[in-house]
């Protein structure tokens, strides 16, 4: 599930302030479903090397996990993984497309 309103600037793993509402909704969802475990996946645009983007995507996923933990979610329910530039959801030929590719998404590992 793509978190549509979690944003990162180019070449950064720091969450933008406007990401807070979306992540707070995820915290609420996880609190309402206390046995659910998720993997947070980080993605990048295609700027930079594959190695750099892999590390950046891991940092983005980890930033979200840290936010969730600070919001009270047990770390044991969370995993993170970086996917680099391997799964774009938009073109990397425009700035808008690149912004969409700088994203996080989660998948449910167990209920």
């Amino acid at each position: 599930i793509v978190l549509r309103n979690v944003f990162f600037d180019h070449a950064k793993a720091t969450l933008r302030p406007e990401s807070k509402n979306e992540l707070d909704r995820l915290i609420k969802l996880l609190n309402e479903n206390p046995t659910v475990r998720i993997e947070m996946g980080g993605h990048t645009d295609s700027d930079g090397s594959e190695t750099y983007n892999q590390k950046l995507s891991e940092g983005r996923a980890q930033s979200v996990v840290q936010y969730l933990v600070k919001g009270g979610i047990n770390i044991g329910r969370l995993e993170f993984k970086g996917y680099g530039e391997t799964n774009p959801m938009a073109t990397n030929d425009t700035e808008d497309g690149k912004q969409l590719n700088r994203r996080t998404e989660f998948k449910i590992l167990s209920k």
Side-chain angles (χ1 to χ4, degrees), residues 15-111:
L15 288 165
R16 285 188 183 169
E18 61 266 31
S19 303
K20 182 180 182 295
N21 288 337
E22 183 83 353
L23 294 176
D24 288 346
R25 284 192 289 274
L26 180 55
I27 289 170
K28 182 178 183 218
L29 174 76
L30 290 169
N31 281 330
E32 291 170 352
N33 298 279
T35 60
V36 169
R37 291 185 60 251
I38 65 169
E39 174 195 281
M40 190 59 54
H43 300 268
T44 67
D45 60 33
S46 62
D47 290 352
S49 71
E50 287 183 29
T51 302
Y52 175 81
N53 285 333
Q54 180 63 36
K55 184 175 178 178
L56 180 60
S57 66
E58 290 170 6
R60 289 179 175 168
Q62 189 173 23
S63 290
V64 173
V65 166
Q66 289 170 347
Y67 186 93
L68 298 176
V69 169
K70 286 180 184 176
I73 304 302
N74 184 303
I75 188 70
R77 298 176 59 199
L78 307 170
E79 294 182 19
F80 68 91
K81 183 175 180 179
Y83 291 92
E85 61 189 69
T86 61
N87 296 314
M89 65 182 304
T91 181
N92 279 301
D93 296 331
T94 67
E95 287 307 311
D96 288 341
K98 288 179 183 183
Q99 178 62 60
L100 289 171
N101 290 331
R102 296 188 291 261
R103 71 189 190 281
T104 55
E105 55 192 23
F106 72 93
K107 62 181 166 183
I108 296 173
L109 299 174
S110 66
K111 295 181 182 183

